[in-house]
Amino acid sequence: MMRITDRDNSSKNKSIQILLLIFFCSTFFSVQDCKADTSDKSRSVYGEIAQYTAAGFPLPRKKPSIKPSAVEKLSEDESVYSKLNAIIDAISALEEELEAKSDLLNKAKTEKGKTTILNEIDEINRLIKEQENTFELIQTGGLDLAKIEDSDDKAFDWQKNLLEILQPVMNELHAYTEDKRKVLELQNKIAFYQSQIDNSRKALKKMTRVDRDALEQKALNRFLLVKKKWENLLEDSKHQLDAAKIQLDGMRLLEQEEAVSFGDQLEQFALGRGATILMALLASLFVFLILTMLWKGILWLSMRKQNGKMSYAQRIANLVYRAITVFFSIITVFIVLDLRGDQVLVAVAVLLLIILIWALKNSVPRYIKELQTMLNAGPVREGERIIYHGVPMKIERLNFFSRLTNPAMPGVNLRLPLSELNNYVSRPHKDDEPWFPCKQGDFVLLADGRCLKVRHITPEYVQLSLRNDSMAEIYSIQDFMDACPKNLSSGFIITSTIGIDYQYQQKSTTDIPGVFQEGILNRMQHENYGQTIRDISVFFEQANSSSLDFKIIGTFDSAAAPDYYMIKRDLQRFAVDVCNRQQWTIPFNQLVVHQQ
């Protein structure tokens, strides 16, 4: 059994010496390659392969890629042959050791010994396999056939992959809080050892009250042994307490020495991750703006002959292009972060993206409805009409922010998001359909008989004033509609009534209406608004209780609207003048009292 152990140790020492020899040789040739070739990728690949395999570590599954030019240059170098020879020597040594282990396995008598030797044989086989893979990797210039069967059999674990992505963030937080945790741990240790010291002193103090003379020899020996145990615990606790205090003081002193002001921290952040974040955001914004402007130019060229209207295919292309624009903008952020080599920010960006997607998952039905609207297939359609807060509005353009206009309100453009626009239902409209009872500059007659000028119209209010823009009043849209405004700017009619005595009854339906009409018309034609008169008509209206009433109807153009009040007064005035010229009596209402 002694001989087997010696042989085992000798073979083990021999393999260790061979591995160390390969390590130093590979390191030496890696240094020579660095001087001969300035290519960082080829130098790092071959240096890492030699050092990795010589040290007995397994190769990474993802093989580094090498430029063909660098491989051809290194294949001509003698260092490659030296590395291949060294690997063959290492394989031979491992095979000899494997044979020795096999002999030991056959001679082993105990199950424990066999298990140990089997584990060593498995480790040697693994090392031989790695050396063979390394030989093939160097020989083929860094190219390796992927083990497809391994990747196919391995199930995808998204949780594990997500944890690997977020590992840099966790490491960063761990490193950031490491000093604080150490300080807290030392403080807990100090409190613990102080408690032990107090308890030990109390226990030893109680032991001094015991009368040793009353104890038998065995009891006394046991007593002294327990006392010694507590004394040792006291001393050990003191030492541990002093060590923890010294370590805590050292850490606090180190924190004071390494303390950085807020300004320095801000400067470090601005020059480090702050600059990286700014670069990523600016690059993403640049890509977004460039792609957006490019698409606007394409739409302008394709829609020049369509009066600004998008076809169904163009709407689908618009949605797809906008999705591509957002995708490339997000990808740009990750590219910049990767080029800057900040894996922590990459992990944070991935986490934020996952949170955003998770937060938007409940809004998918709403987004589908908005996409239907964008495709002009939803409850509202481009070019149609809706009632928005009591005001008719035309959907001028459908987009993520749609534009609404009203022909009666020049300069008014509403921007509504699709989420709000989907709450309405539009309908087609006719060309001659009015969009509002009036427009700016019109004169309207309200239900209370006032004639006012429209100064301003907005989707929220209407401002009215007198003809000289004085005494302005503001009405909400609803109050304005409730006032039942009549627009005088498209022409209007003014009526008036006058009565004469019953003594002219015989001519009341024949000659008198013509006399009234001629007299009133002649007088009104000499007024400032005379050119705006369309017609003056006088008709017998009714036989009233004390007079024969005649209805005077004047029709005027829109230009006469500012003189509405004057025209209304002049109708009565000129009618009275006709009565005076004809010497017609104008009766007044008589009150008859009947007594019984």
Side-chain angles (χ1 to χ4, degrees), residues 518-569:
E518 182 180 0
I520 294 173
L521 180 60
N522 290 335
R523 290 292 304 273
M524 297 190 77
Q525 286 178 342
H526 292 84
E527 299 296 329
N528 294 332
Y529 52 82
Q531 300 298 325
T532 65
I533 300 174
R534 294 180 181 176
D535 185 33
I536 296 294
S537 301
V538 180
F539 303 95
F540 178 77
E541 183 179 19
Q542 65 174 348
N544 209 340
S545 60
S546 59
S547 63
L548 299 172
D549 293 341
F550 294 86
K551 193 75 169 181
I552 306 172
I553 302 174
T555 306
F556 301 87
D557 291 335
S558 60
D563 300 316
Y564 177 84
Y565 289 123
M566 183 181 294
I567 294 172
K568 191 172 184 179
R569 292 192 299 268

Side-chain angles (χ1 to χ4, degrees), residues 415-431:
R415 295 174 64 250
L416 288 183
L418 289 177
S419 57
E420 182 175 355
L421 192 61
N422 278 329
N423 297 326
Y424 298 87
V425 177
S426 64
R427 66 170 180 84
H429 62 87
K430 298 180 180 180
D431 295 336

Side-chain angles (χ1 to χ4, degrees), residues 407-410 436-444 454-455 457 487 489:
M409 304 177 188
F436 201 70
C438 58
K439 62 180 181 296
Q440 187 173 334
D442 289 351
F443 282 82
V444 294
V454 180
R455 291 187 61 184
I457 303 177
N487 194 344
S489 297

Side-chain angles (χ1 to χ4, degrees), residues 13-14 43 74 101 104 344 390 426 484 507 520-521 588:
N13 294 333
K14 183 177 179 180
R43 179 187 61 205
L74 287 174
K101 292 295 182 183
L104 289 177
V344 174
S426 64
C484 301
K507 298 181 179 182
I520 294 173
L521 180 60
F588 57 88

Side-chain angles (χ1 to χ4, degrees), residues 52-98:
Y52 224 71
T53 57
F57 295 104
L59 286 172
R61 293 184 178 179
K62 186 178 180 182
K63 304 302 186 296
S65 59
I66 312 174
K67 293 183 178 179
S69 58
V71 173
E72 292 175 2
K73 184 176 180 180
L74 287 174
S75 64
E76 298 174 359
D77 196 335
E78 295 181 356
S79 61
V80 177
Y81 303 114
S82 301
K83 293 175 182 177
L84 295 176
N85 293 331
I87 291 174
I88 293 299
D89 294 338
I91 292 175
S92 300
L94 289 172
E95 289 176 348
E96 292 177 2
E97 186 177 356
L98 182 61

Side-chain angles (χ1 to χ4, degrees), residues 249-314:
D249 293 339
M251 290 191 64
R252 288 175 175 173
L253 181 61
L254 184 62
E255 287 180 356
Q256 294 177 359
E257 293 177 354
E258 296 179 351
V260 181
S261 63
F262 178 76
D264 294 338
Q265 292 180 355
L266 188 61
E267 182 180 0
Q268 292 176 3
F269 176 78
L271 297 177
R273 287 195 174 133
T276 301
I277 295 173
L278 182 61
M279 291 173 60
L281 294 178
L282 290 179
S284 177
L285 181 62
F286 177 77
V287 171
F288 182 82
L289 292 178
I290 290 296
L291 294 178
T292 301
M293 293 175 62
L294 178 62
W295 181 244
K296 286 185 177 180
I298 295 174
L299 285 179
W300 180 79
L301 292 175
S302 61
M303 295 170 57
R304 283 186 300 175
K305 298 181 181 180
Q306 302 177 11
N307 296 325
K309 304 298 182 182
M310 296 176 62
S311 64
Y312 188 77
Q314 288 173 333

Side-chain angles (χ1 to χ4, degrees), residues 7-22:
R7 185 179 178 182
D8 186 13
N9 292 334
S10 63
S11 60
K12 195 176 289 187
N13 294 333
K14 183 177 179 180
S15 61
I16 293 174
Q17 291 174 2
I18 292 173
L19 292 176
L20 290 176
L21 177 62
I22 295 173

Side-chain angles (χ1 to χ4, degrees), residues 473-485:
E473 300 179 28
I474 294 179
Y475 290 79
S476 65
I477 294 295
Q478 188 61 43
D479 292 341
F480 181 73
M481 293 298 185
D482 292 340
C484 301

